[in-house]
Structure formats: C-alpha cells, structure tokens
Amino acid sequence: MEIIKEINILREKIKVRKSEGRVIGFVPTMGFLHKGHLSLVEESKKYSDFQIMSIFVNRIQFNDTSDFESYPSDLQKDFKLAEDAGVDIIFLPDDAEMYRNNLTSVDVEILTENLCGAHRPGHFKGVFTVVSKLFNIVQPDIAVFGQKDIQQAISIQKMVNDLNFPLRIVLAPIVREKDGLALSSRNKHLTSEQRENALCLSRSLEKAKQVIEAGETSVRNIISEMESVIRQGNPDSIDYISVVSYEDLGLINEIDVKSVIAAAVFFGSTRLIDNIIIEAGNGK
Ligand code: AMP
C-alpha cells in the first residue's frame, strides 16, 4: 500500500493504473478507521480492482470548531487497517494541498433542507466541495458511501447526476456494534456511561420499525414513540428526530413512500446520528 500526499503524484499513479485497464474504486473518509469504513472497501472491491481511500479531515465541513479540533486521529492504525483491508493507495493530503485560496464551492439544494442540513449550517456545502475535488483528483469509476450518513449519500448521488461526474455511487449499509450502536469515529469521545446511554438511538429506530410493522403510519406517532425511547437514554439534547421521503428527503406525515427515519442526539458534546430506511408500509 502506498501513502500519497500530493495530488500530482496521485494523478500520475492513477493514470498508469487506468492505462493498465484497472477499475478504480474510491472510499473517502476522515480517518480514525473502524469496521464501517472497512466495509466500504469490501463493497468497493465488488465493482473495482484498484482501491483508493482518502483520509482528510475536511475543516470546511465542520460548523463547530471544537468538533474539528477534537476529531480523533490515529494514522498508524489507519494505515494498518487499510492495508489489511486491501487498500492500494491512501491519499493523505494536508489542508494546503486541498485548499489553495479556494473560492469555489458546490451545493445541492432542497435535499439538504432537513435532517443534518437543518442543524449544521454550511456542513454539506463543505462536504460536496471536498467530495467534488476528490472526485476530480482521483477520477474513480465507483465511489462508496455509507448509509450511516444517508443525507450525504443521497445528495452526493444527486450532485453526481446533476454535474455529470462520470462515476457510479454505491451505498453501503450501516455497520453496528453487537449491541446496535452504529460505529462512528466520534464514539471514542463517549464515556462508558454515555456509551451505554447512546444505545437509545438505535433502540428508538428499532422501536419505529416495530410500530410500523404493527401498522402505524402516522409520523407524529412514530416520532413520539422514538422520543420516549431516546429520553430513557438521558441525552444532553435531541437535535432532531425526523421522517423524510427517501426520494427527496422532504418531511412526510404518513409512511406511504420509501422513507428514512433519522435522529441526531447529543451525549455531552458528542453528536451521534443514526437512521433506518423503511420500504413503504412493510417496516423493512
Ligand atoms: P467519515 O470518516 O465519518 O467521514 O465516514 C467516511 C465514510 O464511512 C462515509 O461514507 C460514512 O457514511 C461511512 N461510515 C461511517 N460510519 C459507518 C458505519 N457505521 N457503517 C457504514 N459506513 C459508515
């Protein structure tokens, strides 16, 4: 596995691989890798035969400076995990390599109005800008994103369609701990008590699934059921509990279309997100 920090060098390497007929798979990350990230590499290997992973903590997508400054990092461990997972190149640019007096940004309208978009001003613009840059730098044939950040994945698919990026986006399922907690680099910040309490998030989504399977279609009722489960975990605050249509991420009142049920909850200053996708009416 090679670790490359410079755009020009990366481009040269990729050009050679492409000329050999290799199909380039790409997994963008912010590092502090866990099994969720590694599952994206596994998914990528199904569609491609040369794996590039980027590790870049993208300052411009953090609406909260202390969240950026405390973002966990362990590059040596990341390199080992990535290599074992079959990554061929890690792209590890620094801030100066990615942003030299950058005056251009990319945004996706409408899809970013609810969920995290409503609560993290500027976040998605920062994400779409860096992902566009990474797509142009790496020029992958496919790129894999996790359902964990469902609004991000759906919006990036739209961005790729709208801006004619010549690649395929693949969505990979959420990887969870045995007890249900969705893996996240930010879980590291949780105390053991918060870690235990944080289970209320995945439990609330399980609860939503159960009541839907039992025939509930009213979003108001579903949210209220979820809220009581989340309150049992004593969160410091609930950022949102929302149900949106999968298609356009617009708020809905009834579960009558494919939908996303999502929540964001604070434990201390750690903000955790989780979601499930519901195929209309059957709770799957
Ligand atoms: P991050 O490093 O948090 O920016 O995440 C990089 C990629 O990994 C994104 O596409 C995330 O959606 C994905 N990801 C993060 N956590 C998980 C998880 N628990 N399961 C699957 N994918 C994940």
Side-chain angles (χ1 to χ4, degrees), residues 28-31 34 36-37 39-40 71 144-149 152 173-175 182-185:
T29 81
M30 297 201 298
H34 51 64
H37 297 114
S39 77
L40 305 189
Y71 202 82
V144 187
F145 290 85
Q147 184 198 322
K148 169 82 181 353
D149 299 273
Q152 167 176 286
I174 300 178
V175 176
L183 296 190
S184 163
S185 306

Side-chain angles (χ1 to χ4, degrees), residues 135-154:
F135 284 171
N136 283 329
I137 293 164
V138 174
Q139 303 194 10
D141 296 291
I142 75 132
V144 187
F145 290 85
Q147 184 198 322
K148 169 82 181 353
D149 299 273
I150 186 71
Q151 188 172 25
Q152 167 176 286
I154 290 176

Side-chain angles (χ1 to χ4, degrees), residues 1 21 47 54 90 95 97 118 122 158 196 225 228 255 276-278 283:
M1 187 181 77
Y47 307 91
S54 59
I90 291 212
D95 240 41
E97 185 69 359
K158 180 72 176 137
E196 188 54 35
E225 293 277 1
S228 46
I255 305 271
I276 51 170
I277 297 171
I278 301 286

Side-chain angles (χ1 to χ4, degrees), residues 7-214:
I7 294 169
N8 288 342
I9 297 177
L10 181 71
R11 281 204 160 130
E12 280 308 314
K13 300 266 179 190
I14 293 172
K15 209 158 98 188
V16 173
R17 295 304 173 195
K18 285 196 163 189
S19 72
E20 294 166 356
R22 305 291 284 269
V23 179
I24 310 292
F26 179 45
V27 175
T29 81
M30 297 201 298
F32 208 69
L33 301 181
H34 51 64
K35 287 187 184 134
H37 297 114
L38 304 177
S39 77
L40 305 189
V41 177
E42 276 314 303
E43 195 65 23
S44 180
K45 285 186 193 163
K46 295 182 190 164
Y47 307 91
S48 60
D49 59 9
F50 193 82
Q51 306 308 323
I52 301 183
M53 174 186 276
S54 59
I55 298 181
F56 178 62
V57 184
N58 179 39
R59 181 190 290 271
I60 68 164
Q61 76 186 60
F62 284 79
N63 51 308
D64 174 348
T65 324
S66 68
D67 185 23
F68 172 73
E69 281 162 2
S70 64
Y71 202 82
S73 171
D74 185 345
L75 285 176
Q76 295 313 319
K77 186 168 166 216
D78 287 353
F79 298 158
K80 168 98 179 71
L81 289 172
E83 181 154 35
D84 291 349
V87 170
D88 296 291
I89 294 180
I90 291 212
F91 178 47
L92 185 72
D94 64 13
D95 240 41
E97 185 69 359
M98 288 299 280
Y99 296 115
R100 292 176 204 223
N101 187 27
N102 202 91
L103 299 178
T104 307
S105 56
V106 181
D107 214 347
V108 179
E109 293 171 14
I110 305 200
L111 299 185
T112 50
E113 283 175 1
N114 298 308
L115 309 177
C116 293
H119 295 264
R120 299 188 66 189
H123 164 67
F124 280 116
K125 199 157 129 178
V127 171
F128 304 141
T129 302
V130 79
V131 170
S132 299
K133 287 169 69 71
L134 290 167
F135 284 171
N136 283 329
I137 293 164
V138 174
Q139 303 194 10
D141 296 291
I142 75 132
V144 187
F145 290 85
Q147 184 198 322
K148 169 82 181 353
D149 299 273
I150 186 71
Q151 188 172 25
Q152 167 176 286
I154 290 176
S155 306
I156 286 172
Q157 176 66 72
K158 180 72 176 137
M159 177 186 89
V160 161
N161 297 349
D162 288 355
L163 298 184
N164 307 95
F165 281 101
L167 78 153
R168 172 171 173 192
I169 299 294
V170 172
L171 183 67
I174 300 178
V175 176
R176 299 176 179 281
E177 304 277 10
K178 279 206 184 72
D179 59 10
L181 184 71
L183 296 190
S184 163
S185 306
R186 289 188 175 88
N187 292 350
K188 175 190 160 54
H189 295 316
L190 299 171
T191 64
S192 55
E193 190 188 354
Q194 287 169 338
R195 163 72 183 71
E196 188 54 35
N197 286 341
L199 291 176
C200 70
L201 192 50
S202 55
R203 284 184 186 142
S204 76
L205 293 165
E206 269 305 313
K207 179 74 179 181
K209 202 169 145 196
Q210 276 165 21
V211 298
I212 292 166
E213 275 168 356

